[in-house]
Amino acid sequence: MRRPLAWLVLCVALSNALDEVGERGFLLVATSTTLERLWTYEARAKTGQIDRYDDLGPVLRDICRTSFRARLIVGTGKEAAKAERVLPCDSISVAPLEVEEHRRLTDIELRFFKVDAILKGLDYAFSGGTLYIDNDVAIRRSGVDDLFAMFDAMRKEKKAVGLQTSHICLPKNHKTKIPKSFCERNGGVMFLGDAGKAREILERWSEEIRAHPSKDGHDQVSLRTVLFDFRDDLYDLHPVVQRRGTSADPCKRVDTSKGPTLPHLWHDHHLGRLKYARRRKAQGTICGFVP
């Protein structure tokens, strides 16, 4: 009888640990254009075709193959109702930002929408941590538990948000009064551990990006300004979190405490990932990713 009792004690301990940590999950946002591509894909999928320009569909299907839930923030109630009809699984819920019916957004307006939608997503924050990812990200499904374990490292260091340093510390046309030694961070993957502090940062970011929009329409300049003021709350993510860009190799392992490890996320557009897989003559998956 000792063995069943030991298992019972272990299960209770694991359950208590999970309750203490809280649920963790994904956060995504989608514009009307992104949703149109998703709807187009779903229509073509019935005939076996693939919409190479649909970024959202592949990442949603990745999430559906994990044990984690996701929130998807869209522009309007009408878009939310339409999105719910084509979601690939029940673990994804949709909520509207409640903006007015809008025209096609300019590049900078798209950035405004992204920041405001992430801020809206904090209304539905997961108690154990909310992981925001851009649409053009593939998830290595077998590594998703290690991905979310980044929240544990953040808690240990008492940090509220986690972002990865950009591969170029400070592009020439992105210079501001912030010290050059403080690099830009990539806002396409954000670990939002403390929802209250994350809300402060997002609110400031929403104000800053409108007050001082960058000439090239990117959001990293305003994000860097805000993060500098919140640098004591900032956790720099390990390089294993993501491989980013068209030249990034998703099969290149990164040194970690567990040894050489494949990246958890592959940050490139669906079309770029398909081209990479075709060059590598990959069938089905490539280094654990579905391109």
Side-chain angles (χ1 to χ4, degrees):
M1 294 297 292
R2 289 182 179 179
R3 191 170 182 179
L5 180 60
W7 274 108
L8 178 61
V9 171
L10 177 60
C11 290
V12 170
L14 290 174
S15 177
N16 290 340
L18 182 60
D19 289 341
E20 181 181 346
V21 170
E23 184 184 9
R24 293 166 174 171
F26 293 97
L27 172 63
L28 299 97
V29 307
T31 64
S32 57
T33 301
T34 302
L35 291 171
E36 285 173 13
R37 289 171 178 162
L38 175 66
W39 299 325
T40 300
Y41 171 81
E42 293 301 326
R44 292 180 177 178
K46 296 176 182 178
T47 62
Q49 299 182 58
I50 294 177
D51 187 336
R52 297 171 297 168
Y53 300 98
D54 169 35
D55 282 335
L56 182 58
V59 69
L60 292 181
R61 289 189 290 278
D62 277 346
I63 291 170
C64 289
R65 294 297 183 134
T66 74
S67 60
F68 295 89
R69 294 195 298 140
R71 323 281 196 204
L72 175 64
I73 307 300
V74 300
T76 67
K78 184 184 294 184
E79 290 174 357
K82 194 171 181 180
E84 287 174 344
R85 294 199 295 270
V86 294
L87 292 177
C89 67
D90 294 335
S91 62
I92 303 165
S93 58
V94 187
L97 181 58
E98 298 294 2
V99 297
E100 296 180 1
E101 295 286 340
H102 46 253
R103 66 199 187 299
R104 297 283 178 173
L105 301 177
T106 64
D107 284 347
I108 191 61
E109 287 173 334
L110 286 171
R111 306 296 175 176
F112 296 165
F113 177 87
K114 169 186 171 178
V115 177
D116 291 347
I118 298 172
L119 184 57
K120 176 67 175 180
L122 290 175
D123 290 347
Y124 312 94
F126 294 94
S127 60
T130 302
L131 173 52
Y132 167 78
I133 56 174
D134 278 349
N135 298 158
D136 58 338
V137 172
I139 302 167
R140 186 167 61 82
R141 300 170 184 178
S142 62
V144 72
D145 288 331
D146 287 337
L147 175 67
F148 276 95
M150 290 293 164
F151 282 114
D152 297 325
M154 289 170 55
R155 288 181 66 188
K156 185 177 180 180
E157 299 293 329
K158 295 181 171 58
K159 301 297 184 181
V161 296
L163 292 91
Q164 197 169 56
T165 303
S166 297
H167 63 290
I168 299 177
C169 178
L170 185 59
K172 292 181 179 179
N173 60 338
H174 286 192
K175 294 179 180 178
T176 65
K177 295 180 180 179
I178 302 301
K180 295 179 181 179
S181 59
F182 187 78
C183 297
E184 283 187 353
R185 268 67 176 179
N186 172 241
V189 175
M190 295 190 289
F191 285 72
L192 309 175
D194 182 329
K197 183 62 68 172
R199 184 177 295 279
E200 281 187 60
I201 294 172
L202 266 296
E203 287 173 347
R204 281 279 306 280
W205 190 11
S206 180
E207 295 169 0
E208 181 66 26
I209 196 173
R210 285 172 166 80
H212 304 101
S214 65
K215 294 180 180 179
D216 58 7
H218 291 154
D219 52 37
Q220 288 95 333
V221 179
S222 54
L223 177 59
R224 176 171 172 262
T225 298
V226 174
L227 288 178
F228 182 74
D229 290 340
F230 287 90
R231 58 193 179 278
D232 291 338
D233 300 300
L234 176 63
Y235 181 82
D236 283 323
L237 297 173
H238 193 283
V240 77
V241 169
Q242 65 170 328
R243 285 289 186 189
R244 181 173 176 268
T246 55
S247 61
D249 183 359
C251 296
K252 185 176 181 180
R253 294 177 181 269
V254 181
D255 289 332
T256 70
S257 60
K258 296 182 178 181
T261 305
L262 289 168
H264 302 314
L265 303 173
W266 181 6
H267 198 160
D268 191 13
H269 289 287
H270 186 208
L271 178 60
R273 300 195 304 266
L274 289 173
K275 288 181 178 179
Y276 182 93
R278 189 161 54 246
R279 290 196 301 270
R280 296 287 293 263
K281 297 181 180 180
Q283 298 293 326
T285 63
I286 180 165
C287 298
F289 292 99
V290 178

